[in-house]
Amino acid sequence: MVPFQSLQAYGVTVDAVCPGKKAGDACPTAVHKPIGHQTYAESKGHNFALNASFDEIDAAGYDGLVIPGGRAPEYLAMDEKVLALVRKFSDAKKPIASVCHGQLILAAAGVVRDRTCTAYPAVRPVLVAAGAKWVEADTMKKCVVDGNLVTAAAYDGHPEFISLFVKALGGSVAGADKRILFLCGDYMEDYEVMVPFQALQALGCHVDAVCPDKGPGDKCPTAIHDFEGDQTYSEKPGHDFALNASFDGVDASSYDALVIPGGRAPEYLALNEKVLSLAKGFMDKGKPVASICHGQQILAAAGVLQGRKCTAYPAVKLNVVLGGGTWLEPDPIHRCFTDGNLVTGAAWPAHPEFVAQLMALLGIKVSFA
């Protein structure tokens, strides 16, 4: 989801396909995270909606290929149609970006011989056997470039991974010398913090994430909120999000923008006077503030929505209206709105518009040759 929505936010047309499925179908995803055992643990993640059909894909119509990791590459590497598609991109020397276990597909397709690459450490034996020049990942942020091939060890490396892929596509970024603050809390929505956080880092922005009563290196558990046919969203445990700055040490004047993720965290953060003062300070100074889903509960409690036009997750309409805001219906759910310095979105499907509109306020532009 992070590369998919980040590239869309930068103005790239992105199609996602899966063998045996068509546009509108969903792929279940997995949450892989270390919890102290000898390997990572897995739990059920979001459902990822495809927007194109595998059987209708013509590689000639695309400029690059991205291969995510997880467990899917294990079986996709046995699909001859998948391998043929990868070979077409490789033969045409088009950019290919593969992360984590995705390199299993590259090995099966026979396109890594004499190529320098990395991957999740457990993939090393396969890549070495396929003739690749293996680079050990000293951290899970490790990325390697060899010509048109970009490889990464894990999702921790998304910022550099995405940045390198954008460059391989002929992209350049202007105006990204910005400092952005994320206001985090326990059980914020997984995607709603990670996608914009890594998307902005990939552009070259300095991004700090803070949480009251926590410091750099501490983690916030996240929640996966998904739409699975019930009357409201479901919730599952998400990734643990690592903070990189201290809330108590925040100097708001040193930041150019504030981002407020949704999830369940805003319910209790809206009771914290220091949080409300921080949000009010950004709004009073006219600095860009981007808030999504339930994040607007904080803005309403801070008293900064009076006379402002905004949206939110539909259940937060009451907070917005009682806070004096003018409600804008999020129809469809990926719709976002900008009112002066304020960007608001309803839920994580809105990330491409959400990030793009914040970029516009900050004067950040991505262009492709």
Side-chain angles (χ1 to χ4, degrees):
M1 185 60 82
V2 177
F4 181 79
Q5 291 191 320
S6 297
L7 291 168
Q8 288 180 317
Y10 305 160
V12 179
T13 299
V14 189
D15 288 340
V17 298
C18 173
K21 298 192 178 188
K22 61 184 184 302
D25 290 344
C27 288
T29 69
V31 173
H32 287 166
K33 62 181 181 181
I35 58 171
H37 301 303
Q38 291 185 342
T39 189
Y40 53 83
E42 176 177 302
S43 57
K44 184 173 172 55
H46 292 83
N47 293 303
F48 182 90
L50 305 169
N51 62 347
S53 300
F54 183 86
D55 290 340
E56 299 174 2
I57 292 299
D58 178 7
Y62 293 90
D63 300 296
L65 175 68
V66 176
I67 306 176
R71 284 196 294 108
E74 292 179 347
Y75 75 89
L76 292 177
M78 298 187 292
D79 190 317
E80 285 301 326
K81 290 183 179 179
V82 169
L83 304 184
L85 180 66
V86 171
R87 292 185 192 110
K88 288 180 181 178
F89 279 90
S90 180
D91 291 346
K93 295 184 171 22
K94 292 182 177 181
I96 298 175
S98 182
V99 63
C100 195
H101 287 71
Q103 287 82 303
L104 291 171
I105 297 174
L106 300 180
V111 300
V112 293
R113 179 165 297 280
D114 297 326
R115 305 298 296 274
T116 303
C117 59
T118 192
Y120 188 74
V123 181
R124 180 184 65 182
V126 171
L127 286 176
V128 171
K133 298 177 181 177
W134 173 256
V135 176
E136 193 69 37
D138 49 353
T139 75
M140 289 297 97
K141 294 182 179 181
K142 184 70 173 182
C143 293
V144 172
V145 179
D146 183 349
N148 65 316
L149 181 61
V150 178
T151 53
Y155 57 77
D156 308 67
H158 275 153
E160 185 180 3
F161 178 72
I162 296 168
S163 176
L164 292 170
F165 185 59
V166 168
K167 291 178 182 177
L169 290 172
S172 60
V173 181
D177 55 339
K178 303 297 190 298
R179 291 174 53 85
I180 301 169
L181 182 67
F182 273 62
L183 183 53
C184 301
D186 288 351
Y187 297 104
M188 57 190 166
E189 212 286 329
D190 193 344
Y191 279 167
E192 289 174 4
V193 61
M194 188 59 81
V195 173
F197 185 84
Q198 291 190 321
L200 291 165
Q201 286 184 318
L203 292 169
C205 297
H206 177 97
V207 189
D208 285 338
V210 299
C211 173
D213 302 319
K214 296 191 180 188
D218 291 341
K219 293 182 178 180
C220 288
T222 68
I224 290 172
H225 288 167
D226 211 349
F227 311 97
E228 300 181 292
D230 302 311
Q231 291 185 340
T232 187
Y233 52 82
S234 63
E235 178 170 306
K236 297 181 285 288
H239 296 85
D240 292 330
F241 182 86
L243 305 168
N244 61 349
S246 170
F247 181 87
D248 291 336
V250 165
D251 176 9
S253 66
S254 70
Y255 292 96
D256 300 293
L258 174 68
V259 177
I260 307 176
R264 286 197 290 110
E267 292 180 344
Y268 78 87
L269 291 178
L271 305 175
N272 187 315
E273 288 300 327
K274 291 182 179 179
V275 167
L276 302 185
S277 177
L278 181 66
K280 191 173 187 301
F282 275 88
M283 290 294 289
D284 287 349
K285 288 181 170 49
K287 292 184 177 183
V289 174
S291 182
I292 192 163
C293 195
H294 286 70
Q296 288 81 305
Q297 290 176 319
I298 294 173
L299 299 179
V304 298
L305 293 182
Q306 188 71 40
R308 305 304 294 267
K309 298 176 181 179
C310 66
T311 194
Y313 186 72
V316 184
K317 179 178 179 179
L318 181 62
N319 301 71
V320 171
V321 173
L322 291 178
T326 299
W327 177 254
L328 300 176
E329 197 66 35
D331 186 18
I333 198 70
H334 63 256
R335 185 81 186 275
C336 290
F337 298 93
T338 298
D339 180 13
N341 67 313
L342 179 63
V343 176
T344 54
W348 55 259
H351 280 148
E353 285 192 25
F354 184 72
V355 174
Q357 290 184 28
L358 177 59
M359 289 170 58
L361 288 182
L362 289 169
I364 302 173
K365 295 181 180 179
V366 179
S367 56
F368 291 89

